[in-house]
Amino acid sequence: AQSVTQLGSHVSVSEGALVLLRCNYSSSVPPYLFWYVQYPNQGLQLLLKYTSAATLVKGINGFEAEFKKSETSFHLTKPSAHMSDAAEYFCAVSVPVSGSARQLTFGSGTQLTVLP
Amino acid sequence: EAEVAQSPRYKITEKSQAVAFWCDPISGHATLYWYRQILGQGPELLVQFQDESVVDDSQLPKDRFSAERLKGVDSTLKIQPAELGDSAMYLCASSLRRDRNYEQYFGPGTRLTVT
């Protein structure tokens, strides 16, 4: 079964510091992986996705993630944190359902706090 | 930019009452998803539609939850009767395709509080 584990439910960084949010996946087939961001009382917005092309994926707002098969990881990074990056971040893996249908299975989320 | 619409944004209801949520996906998106997100957790899929047909409702508590997408466009999720444990954010998402390279677009959600 496919699943994701997000290490660290809360991460705090100073403004301007490196952001690193960790995600490890479990998948019996080549995975499709996603990072979403959620601001308070809002829906989820896609930051980036890995769909078996380049292993280093660049997303919106300066975020990027690197797919490492040997480590079964898909960590999210940003070189310099902004106050506006404070939000909850979810890693997700696409899992097959039936036929060509697929679904997303989400991790439990990491709350990012940016300190001034 | 096209968005997924949901209403209401907030709903407070008493235990044992009925409640309904509405979702209008992005035009042309064939696949529609309803998720439940408990505070502090990731979204969990309740039901997935392809056009008007249910693809997966294995996680939908069918004794009290129902979902429909009659014309393959907008959708309604109903809870009857509501229980205290149903308090959560209910998210709707849609995608153009249901296969591997799709991207799901999420609506703003409906925050349900059951008292």
Side-chain angles (χ1 to χ4, degrees):
Chain A
Q2 285 83 352
S3 65
V4 292
T5 301
Q6 292 185 240
L7 301 176
S9 58
H10 291 84
V11 170
S12 293
V13 300
S14 298
E15 190 174 18
L18 171 71
V19 176
L20 171 61
L21 305 181
R22 300 178 185 273
C23 173
N24 287 89
Y25 69 90
S26 169
S27 177
S28 57
V29 297
Y32 298 98
L33 296 160
F34 303 76
W35 275 101
Y36 282 84
V37 61
Q38 186 177 33
Y39 297 98
N41 289 314
Q42 294 187 27
L44 279 69
Q45 180 184 10
L46 181 69
L47 282 176
L48 49 81
K49 62 181 178 182
Y50 168 75
T51 55
S52 74
T55 56
L56 181 61
V57 181
K58 294 187 183 298
I60 62 172
N61 302 339
F63 284 94
E64 63 181 36
E66 186 172 8
F67 173 71
K68 292 186 176 181
K69 184 178 179 179
S70 61
E71 299 178 8
T72 62
S73 68
F74 190 56
H75 301 332
L76 183 70
T77 60
K78 182 174 180 177
S80 177
H82 294 171
M83 297 298 289
S84 61
D85 294 328
E88 187 143 27
Y89 292 79
F90 293 95
C91 183
V93 62
S94 173
V95 301
V97 179
S98 62
S100 61
R102 301 181 74 93
Q103 297 172 354
L104 290 179
T105 294
F106 287 87
S108 55
T110 297
Q111 181 68 46
L112 175 66
T113 300
V114 181
L115 305 171
Chain B
E1 183 177 308
E3 296 180 342
V4 175
Q6 288 188 248
S7 67
R9 291 292 312 277
Y10 302 90
K11 180 69 177 180
I12 301 174
T13 191
E14 293 183 348
K15 184 174 59 173
S16 79
Q17 295 299 304
V19 63
F21 314 129
W22 176 79
C23 171
D24 191 11
I26 294 173
S27 178
H29 281 198
T31 310
L32 185 146
Y33 312 80
W34 281 103
Y35 290 87
R36 177 170 58 187
Q37 184 181 21
I38 296 171
L39 192 64
Q41 298 182 19
E44 294 181 311
L45 183 71
L46 292 174
V47 61
Q48 177 180 352
F49 289 93
Q50 178 68 23
D51 300 308
E52 68 277 2
S53 300
V54 174
V55 173
D56 181 28
D57 62 357
S58 58
Q59 300 303 310
L60 188 70
K62 299 182 186 63
D63 57 336
R64 297 184 301 107
F65 285 65
S66 64
E68 60 183 16
R69 193 184 183 199
L70 293 177
K71 296 182 179 179
V73 181
D74 59 340
S75 176
T76 301
L77 178 69
K78 297 179 181 178
I79 308 175
Q80 182 174 16
E83 296 181 352
L84 295 177
D86 297 332
S87 294
M89 175 79 89
Y90 290 83
L91 294 164
C92 179
S94 69
S95 65
L96 184 60
R97 297 163 54 182
R98 62 178 183 174
D99 58 6
R100 56 184 177 179
N101 283 334
Y102 69 81
E103 174 181 332
Q104 290 189 26
Y105 295 83
F106 283 79
T110 296
R111 170 74 66 187
L112 173 66
T113 302
V114 182
T115 62

